[in-house]
Amino acid sequence: MGACCGKNKKPTQTPKPTTQPKPVTNLQAPPAVEKPPAPVVVSQPPQVISIFKPIPNSRKVFFFSVQENKAFILTASLPFPFSRNCGICQLSQHNFIIAGGNEYNSDELTSDAMIFEGKALSGRRIASMPAPSAMQTLIYIEKIKLVYAVGGLQVKTIDESNDDHSDLIPGNFSVYDLKLKQWNVLEQMPKKLCCPTCYFVRDSIFAAGGFILKQDKFARYETIQVYNLQEARWKILQLKFTLPVVGALAVPLEPKQILIVGGMKDLNTSASMAYLFDEEAGFSNLKDFKVSNIQFVPPVYRTEKYVYILAEPEILGRYDRATKEFEHFPLMSLMQQNADIRSLNTFNSTFNGIYTYHCDLSNKTITTFNTLSQEKSSIKLQSIQYRDAGIAFLPDGSLFFAGGVAANSPNPKPTNQCFRYDPVSQTEEAMTQLPKALRGIRLISTQDTIIAIAGFDDSESSYKEVYSCYIKFSDQIWVDLPNMLIAVRYPACCLLENSIYVIGGEEVIDEGIEEIRDCIQVCDLSSMVWTVKTLKYNIPAKCMGLIPFTEKTVLIFGGEDADGNEVKSSYEFDGENFRKAEDLPGDAAVMHFDDPACIRDGEAYIFNSAGDLYRLDFNSLSWEEVEAEEKSVNQI
């Protein structure tokens, strides 16, 4: 990719501007717009995300779609708020790494880092940077899967306080390994200059210019330092970086050209110029934006004709590759006014028929239990054969299956197959496939939607991650949900009060090492933002069963604890409080619950994963184990 993605806001621990940014009044809006509408916060991104910028000190993102020519303010589900002066670079079409910056409501620097998934509107925390820093340029080298952090600034440590060269030092030159998921500190630049303008071309990272600050006196330097990836060492070039800016955003172009925009003239003044550097012709001025507070921020978006860059305050810059002209427009005039707000039927759908089912998909068998006649029988399946699949009742009483693992495969890998099984006609129907192959999915069914929670693929390098999505019956298109803040497998899941609740589960710490969690995570469907409640589940467990028995209350029961022992406890839960209910009866060695419950006339029936059947009385919340003899096996 080789893109340069630097930051250009004021450094921390330095003198602050005395005024807030002023509204932009001298930009030419597109002629068709007479008055910019107010921004609209929406809950799903444009169809094609082109470019974005975080809104500092918040969990909101400003997106712009070139294809739709619209801007969107979106709320994201993040492990921490976006920081001012953070470093950003693009990893893939919709994935970005964001690291460092200033902590929320503070001038303190942070080492927090995350991978932000634009299409899912969510972020997941990754290893912290080696030291708190701000304004660093992040450069992704795709062929070696490494992200380099260069430039920026950080505060001196005690050991460095004897160095009287500057009151600040540049941020650590370090690298994040996407495969090993860790940062490593590399050889530092020979000349300690803060906030150089950084870019990557021809297997080398360039750090051009920069400043030192001594007793509040700002001094800009023209030094150009280069790091060769093959030699893994820095050297100082004889060339000079003569532009009167530091910390500018540099965008390599072809052939042998670099677009340089923004940056700072000094600590309190933004640079409003755009330059083009040509290896043969040198520097040339492209444009003076004549906006004193303009600040261009990464990442950039390239097409064959244009380069798009976002800036503060709410400005879209567009560079024409052919004519070398640079235009800019106010983004508020492009705000999306009629956003499609995601809405789900927020009561868990339950099947009120007379049959409940146990799905032994390894053997392609469904066991049925007639709650009136108390008879049990088995049905053989044809195509549905994926164990560890998500299973739920649909409103018409049919069964929905999502994902899972092929039962008899020597190298089991998850599938993205989905099926509907109609018990009346005993027919199987292939449904819209999941966006990716997953197992261990927990399904929530509503009157018009299936929500798939916490699916995972343990055959890939991303085995620690879980994935969630939903599909509306009317659309038949799976849509990504934001990532949970804690990536748990096999939790209990339900809908309560317009929110998805995820209780317990196991988190993969490392390959072969799992930790059972007692956390309760909540996704508000109106904003699609996840939070973690301070309330904890009474017993850390996974693979619990869950039965909704009112619109506002569910019963959580069974599961497996951290020592691998069966859990027989039951708890009534209303979203805020747990109330102890009667324990599960019997001496079953397995208390995993994967099958959905059948609810009728104030009682529920549910099988555990070993095929033991239980009945729950809603009035007393008391359990009994049901014994039933199998009568027949039906072939389809």
Side-chain angles (χ1 to χ4, degrees), residues 7-21 84-86 101-102 107 109 134-136 153 168 195 211 246-247 263-264 266-270 293-295 297:
K7 288 299 290 182
N8 47 26
K9 298 185 180 179
K10 312 182 304 301
T12 60
Q13 304 295 337
T14 57
K16 304 177 188 176
T18 55
T19 59
Q20 295 295 320
R84 292 179 293 116
N85 302 322
C86 58
N102 298 90
D107 279 335
L109 303 182
M135 301 179 69
Q136 285 202 291
L153 56 83
L168 299 168
C195 299
F211 73 90
V246 296
M264 300 181 296
D266 56 44
L267 290 178
N268 297 323
T269 307
S270 296
N293 59 331
I294 194 168
Q295 297 175 335
V297 295

Side-chain angles (χ1 to χ4, degrees), residues 550-563:
T550 74
E551 292 191 10
K552 298 182 179 180
T553 314
V554 298
L555 191 77
I556 305 170
F557 50 90
E560 177 184 318
D561 67 15
D563 297 322

Side-chain angles (χ1 to χ4, degrees), residues 84-336:
R84 292 179 293 116
N85 302 322
C86 58
I88 307 175
C89 76
Q90 190 168 15
L91 302 176
S92 62
Q93 183 179 8
H94 297 304
N95 290 350
F96 306 82
I97 188 168
I98 300 177
N102 298 90
E103 290 185 353
Y104 174 67
N105 251 348
S106 170
D107 279 335
E108 295 298 319
L109 303 182
T110 180
S111 59
D112 287 341
M114 74 169 101
I115 289 179
F116 175 65
E117 299 181 17
K119 200 64 179 174
L121 285 178
S122 65
R124 54 183 173 84
R125 185 184 290 272
I126 60 175
S128 296
M129 303 181 76
S133 58
M135 301 179 69
Q136 285 202 291
T137 299
L138 301 184
I139 298 173
Y140 177 46
I141 315 298
E142 185 175 15
K143 62 182 179 181
I144 55 177
K145 305 297 182 186
L146 297 177
V147 178
Y148 288 86
V150 59
L153 56 83
Q154 66 185 51
V155 181
K156 284 183 178 179
T157 65
I158 296 177
D159 294 337
E160 295 162 328
S161 60
N162 294 328
D163 179 5
D164 61 358
H165 181 64
S166 174
D167 295 337
L168 299 168
I169 58 172
N172 276 324
F173 180 53
S174 58
V175 64
Y176 181 73
D177 190 317
L178 288 169
K179 295 179 180 178
L180 300 178
K181 295 180 171 55
Q182 66 183 27
W183 291 90
N184 293 304
V185 178
L186 304 176
E187 176 191 340
Q188 301 305 298
M189 287 185 287
K191 194 166 185 65
K192 296 181 178 179
L193 297 178
C194 298
C195 299
T197 296
C198 303
Y199 53 93
F200 174 76
V201 292
R202 293 190 293 278
D203 286 335
S204 294
I205 295 173
F206 289 79
F211 73 90
I212 65 171
L213 182 72
K214 186 63 179 174
Q215 296 179 348
D216 291 339
K217 291 184 179 180
F218 175 90
R220 184 175 57 82
Y221 282 71
E222 297 180 345
T223 307
I224 298 179
Q225 306 177 78
V226 60
Y227 180 83
N228 184 280
L229 266 60
Q230 300 297 327
E231 300 175 359
R233 63 173 54 188
W234 286 96
K235 65 179 179 180
I236 298 177
L237 300 183
Q238 297 302 314
L239 303 174
K240 300 295 183 183
F241 183 72
T242 58
L243 297 183
V245 297
V246 296
L249 177 59
V251 184
L253 305 172
E254 291 78 28
K256 299 180 180 181
Q257 294 179 340
I258 299 173
L259 177 66
I260 300 173
V261 295
M264 300 181 296
K265 291 180 179 178
D266 56 44
L267 290 178
N268 297 323
T269 307
S270 296
S272 63
M273 296 292 296
Y275 304 92
L276 183 67
F277 173 73
D278 187 288
E279 289 189 6
E280 297 179 358
F283 292 103
S284 59
N285 294 354
L286 288 180
K287 186 181 184 68
D288 185 351
F289 299 99
K290 297 180 180 178
V291 181
S292 60
N293 59 331
I294 194 168
Q295 297 175 335
F296 286 93
V297 295
V300 303
Y301 176 72
R302 297 173 176 84
T303 66
E304 291 186 4
K305 187 174 182 180
Y306 297 112
V307 174
Y308 294 87
I309 312 174
L310 294 179
E312 304 283 0
E314 319 308 351
I315 294 171
L316 172 67
R318 186 180 69 185
Y319 171 71
D320 190 311
R321 291 172 178 260
T323 65
K324 296 182 173 57
E325 294 179 349
F326 203 118
E327 300 177 280
H328 60 301
F329 310 96
L331 277 170
M332 288 303 176
S333 63
L334 304 175
M335 286 300 302
Q336 169 73 334

